[in-house]
mmCIF file of all heavy atoms in Angstrom:
data_model
loop_
_atom_site.group_PDB
_atom_site.id
_atom_site.type_symbol
_atom_site.label_atom_id
_atom_site.label_comp_id
_atom_site.label_asym_id
_atom_site.label_seq_id
_atom_site.Cartn_x
_atom_site.Cartn_y
_atom_site.Cartn_z
ATOM 1 N N GLU C 1604 123.959 111.050 117.753
ATOM 2 C CA GLU C 1604 122.498 110.775 117.362
ATOM 3 C C GLU C 1604 122.520 110.127 115.897
ATOM 4 O O GLU C 1604 123.461 110.465 115.191
ATOM 5 C CB GLU C 1604 121.669 112.169 117.216
ATOM 6 C CG GLU C 1604 122.094 113.224 116.198
ATOM 7 C CD GLU C 1604 121.247 114.411 116.177
ATOM 8 O OE1 GLU C 1604 120.035 114.224 116.306
ATOM 9 O OE2 GLU C 1604 121.673 115.495 115.991
ATOM 10 N N PRO C 1605 121.350 109.505 115.460
ATOM 11 C CA PRO C 1605 121.436 108.943 114.238
ATOM 12 C C PRO C 1605 121.234 109.935 113.083
ATOM 13 O O PRO C 1605 120.502 110.900 113.142
ATOM 14 C CB PRO C 1605 120.095 108.004 114.194
ATOM 15 C CG PRO C 1605 119.354 108.427 115.419
ATOM 16 C CD PRO C 1605 120.259 109.222 116.294
ATOM 17 N N ILE C 1606 122.066 109.827 112.154
ATOM 18 C CA ILE C 1606 122.092 110.708 110.934
ATOM 19 C C ILE C 1606 121.467 109.885 109.657
ATOM 20 O O ILE C 1606 121.882 108.635 109.526
ATOM 21 C CB ILE C 1606 123.375 111.175 110.552
ATOM 22 C CG1 ILE C 1606 123.988 112.091 111.845
ATOM 23 C CG2 ILE C 1606 123.415 112.240 109.290
ATOM 24 C CD1 ILE C 1606 123.196 113.309 112.130
ATOM 25 N N GLU C 1607 120.608 110.476 108.969
ATOM 26 C CA GLU C 1607 120.033 109.588 107.779
ATOM 27 C C GLU C 1607 120.545 110.456 106.459
ATOM 28 O O GLU C 1607 120.792 111.638 106.406
ATOM 29 C CB GLU C 1607 118.584 109.740 107.786
ATOM 30 C CG GLU C 1607 118.014 109.337 109.182
ATOM 31 C CD GLU C 1607 117.091 108.125 109.069
ATOM 32 O OE1 GLU C 1607 116.669 107.642 107.987
ATOM 33 O OE2 GLU C 1607 116.624 107.672 110.103
ATOM 34 N N LEU C 1608 120.559 109.711 105.381
ATOM 35 C CA LEU C 1608 120.740 110.116 104.002
ATOM 36 C C LEU C 1608 119.397 110.369 103.505
ATOM 37 O O LEU C 1608 118.599 109.467 103.405
ATOM 38 C CB LEU C 1608 121.452 109.085 103.316
ATOM 39 C CG LEU C 1608 121.829 109.510 101.789
ATOM 40 C CD1 LEU C 1608 122.709 110.667 101.749
ATOM 41 C CD2 LEU C 1608 122.198 108.410 101.023
ATOM 42 N N LEU C 1609 118.974 111.598 103.154
ATOM 43 C CA LEU C 1609 117.713 111.976 102.666
ATOM 44 C C LEU C 1609 117.845 112.264 101.215
ATOM 45 O O LEU C 1609 118.691 113.091 100.736
ATOM 46 C CB LEU C 1609 117.058 113.122 103.440
ATOM 47 C CG LEU C 1609 115.906 113.869 102.843
ATOM 48 C CD1 LEU C 1609 114.650 112.929 102.931
ATOM 49 C CD2 LEU C 1609 115.630 115.084 103.585
ATOM 50 N N VAL C 1610 117.067 111.532 100.366
ATOM 51 C CA VAL C 1610 117.059 111.966 98.853
ATOM 52 C C VAL C 1610 115.668 112.462 98.465
ATOM 53 O O VAL C 1610 114.656 111.942 98.813
ATOM 54 C CB VAL C 1610 117.324 110.645 98.058
ATOM 55 C CG1 VAL C 1610 117.346 110.849 96.593
ATOM 56 C CG2 VAL C 1610 118.715 110.112 98.528
ATOM 57 N N VAL C 1611 115.644 113.717 97.833
ATOM 58 C CA VAL C 1611 114.437 114.334 97.342
ATOM 59 C C VAL C 1611 114.573 114.623 95.919
ATOM 60 O O VAL C 1611 115.492 115.229 95.472
ATOM 61 C CB VAL C 1611 114.042 115.592 98.091
ATOM 62 C CG1 VAL C 1611 112.770 116.024 97.755
ATOM 63 C CG2 VAL C 1611 114.296 115.445 99.636
ATOM 64 N N ASP C 1612 113.535 114.100 95.117
ATOM 65 C CA ASP C 1612 113.547 114.310 93.704
ATOM 66 C C ASP C 1612 112.212 115.337 93.536
ATOM 67 O O ASP C 1612 111.143 114.987 93.961
ATOM 68 C CB ASP C 1612 113.305 113.226 92.817
ATOM 69 C CG ASP C 1612 114.525 112.337 92.685
ATOM 70 O OD1 ASP C 1612 115.632 112.964 92.845
ATOM 71 O OD2 ASP C 1612 114.433 111.112 92.551
ATOM 72 N N VAL C 1613 112.582 116.690 92.941
ATOM 73 C CA VAL C 1613 111.473 117.670 93.141
ATOM 74 C C VAL C 1613 111.685 118.487 91.871
ATOM 75 O O VAL C 1613 112.739 118.589 91.166
ATOM 76 C CB VAL C 1613 111.840 118.451 94.406
ATOM 77 C CG1 VAL C 1613 113.123 119.118 94.349
ATOM 78 C CG2 VAL C 1613 110.761 119.403 94.775
ATOM 79 N N PRO C 1614 110.400 119.123 91.454
ATOM 80 C CA PRO C 1614 110.512 119.996 90.161
ATOM 81 C C PRO C 1614 111.463 121.090 90.543
ATOM 82 O O PRO C 1614 111.479 121.610 91.700
ATOM 83 C CB PRO C 1614 109.009 120.461 90.126
ATOM 84 C CG PRO C 1614 108.227 119.415 90.726
ATOM 85 C CD PRO C 1614 109.137 118.853 91.820
ATOM 86 N N GLN C 1615 112.131 121.551 89.392
ATOM 87 C CA GLN C 1615 113.128 122.651 89.465
ATOM 88 C C GLN C 1615 112.689 123.909 90.254
ATOM 89 O O GLN C 1615 113.456 124.381 91.129
ATOM 90 C CB GLN C 1615 113.367 123.089 88.017
ATOM 91 C CG GLN C 1615 114.667 123.911 87.857
ATOM 92 C CD GLN C 1615 115.904 123.155 87.611
ATOM 93 O OE1 GLN C 1615 115.815 122.201 86.980
ATOM 94 N NE2 GLN C 1615 116.965 123.680 88.202
ATOM 95 N N GLU C 1616 111.389 124.338 90.039
ATOM 96 C CA GLU C 1616 110.992 125.652 90.563
ATOM 97 C C GLU C 1616 110.779 125.497 92.141
ATOM 98 O O GLU C 1616 110.693 126.554 92.773
ATOM 99 C CB GLU C 1616 109.805 126.149 89.924
ATOM 100 C CG GLU C 1616 108.506 125.122 89.987
ATOM 101 C CD GLU C 1616 108.565 124.127 88.814
ATOM 102 O OE1 GLU C 1616 109.557 124.031 88.210
ATOM 103 O OE2 GLU C 1616 107.571 123.532 88.566
#
Side-chain angles (χ1 to χ4, degrees):
E1604 65 174 327
I1606 301 292
E1607 309 233 0
L1608 177 71
L1609 168 69
V1610 176
V1611 189
D1612 290 332
V1613 64
Q1615 190 93 36
E1616 59 275 11

